[in-house]
Amino acid sequence: MNNNLYSKKSIIKERISELKTKKFRFEINRIQLPNGHEGEYGQIIFPNAALAVPITADNKVILLRQYRFAVSRYLLEFPAGTLEIGETPINSIKREIQEETGFSAEKWDRLGSLVNAPGYSDEVIHLFLARELSKLNSEVKGDLDEDIEVLMMDPEELDNLISSGDEILDAKTVTAWFRAKQFLDKL
């Protein structure tokens, strides 16, 4: 598929407002869309992220149960994190998986990318499969604002959680698991 056929830039006619936070900024702009329509649109400008689907040698999937303040609950997620300035997606996720799970991986496979919420954000999340894991001798730290529990489960258990709808997972985790399974089926 030629992505250039579907990629067209909007034209920012006027910056109306901007709010900057630690990780992203929110802009309201007067924009001209490729079809010629003009209007005021709000957009989150995000520095992008990387995510890993970690699989152990004994075929366990490593997930995190992480508190997310925006939805006031714990979610089941794969390790992921925001790219630091000048950081590549692979370097970001290598750092994040160590900080959040206490493991490192020798083998990394690219699973593509996804756009998380294209109706209001430009965030792209780069997906990776992490294999040949080694347990680190260090304690899982995470960031000060992270409340994380590291979990290990069989792939079938994760499939059942997703299918049941009983567990709340975020969209990037479900998408990454779908892509990882496609990749692993080809091995």
Side-chain angles (χ1 to χ4, degrees):
M1 175 196 288
N2 184 349
N3 289 330
N4 290 336
L5 291 174
Y6 301 104
S7 179
K8 290 187 176 182
K9 293 277 187 186
S10 299
I11 299 167
I12 297 175
K13 297 289 198 165
E14 175 188 5
R15 168 122 334 114
I16 296 168
S17 182
E18 179 180 64
L19 173 66
K20 293 182 181 182
T21 71
K22 179 181 170 187
K23 288 195 175 187
F24 64 87
R25 71 182 192 271
F26 180 74
E27 292 180 358
I28 299 174
N29 297 312
R30 174 159 288 289
I31 293 176
Q32 181 180 352
L33 301 176
N35 68 2
H37 175 76
E38 247 184 67
E40 286 185 15
Y41 296 94
Q43 177 183 3
I44 295 172
I45 310 298
F46 199 88
N48 295 331
L51 172 147
V53 177
I55 308 282
T56 65
D58 60 348
N59 204 33
K60 298 285 187 191
V61 182
I62 299 175
L63 291 131
L64 307 174
R65 187 172 310 283
Q66 184 167 355
Y67 184 78
R68 295 298 189 174
F69 75 90
V71 292
S72 299
R73 64 182 58 211
Y74 288 88
L75 301 179
L76 200 58
E77 305 179 15
F78 285 121
T82 304
L83 274 60
E84 302 294 337
I85 295 171
E87 190 175 42
T88 63
I90 189 65
N91 288 338
S92 174
I93 196 54
K94 285 181 177 181
R95 173 181 50 77
E96 288 288 343
I97 195 173
Q98 290 181 21
E99 291 173 2
E100 294 183 346
T101 70
F103 284 86
S104 65
E106 286 299 315
K107 186 147 182 102
W108 291 90
D109 302 291
R110 186 153 168 61
L111 299 174
S113 301
L114 68 90
V115 289
N116 202 32
Y120 57 83
S121 176
D122 70 347
E123 179 184 19
V124 174
I125 301 175
H126 304 275
L127 309 175
F128 295 91
L129 179 64
R131 296 184 289 150
E132 298 182 19
L133 301 179
S134 301
K135 182 79 173 128
L136 302 172
N137 291 329
S138 59
E139 193 177 322
V140 175
K141 295 181 213 165
D143 294 329
L144 291 175
D145 63 348
E146 291 177 326
D147 182 357
I148 295 172
E149 176 188 3
V150 179
L151 304 171
M152 295 179 124
M153 62 180 64
D154 293 317
E156 299 78 25
E157 187 179 358
L158 179 54
D159 286 339
N160 291 338
L161 280 173
I162 293 169
S163 296
S164 73
D166 293 337
E167 181 78 39
I168 297 178
L169 295 99
D170 68 337
K172 71 185 184 304
T173 296
V174 176
T175 302
W177 181 236
F178 178 77
R179 290 290 298 128
K181 287 177 58 168
Q182 289 178 321
F183 183 90
L184 290 167
D185 285 347
K186 293 178 184 176
L187 292 181

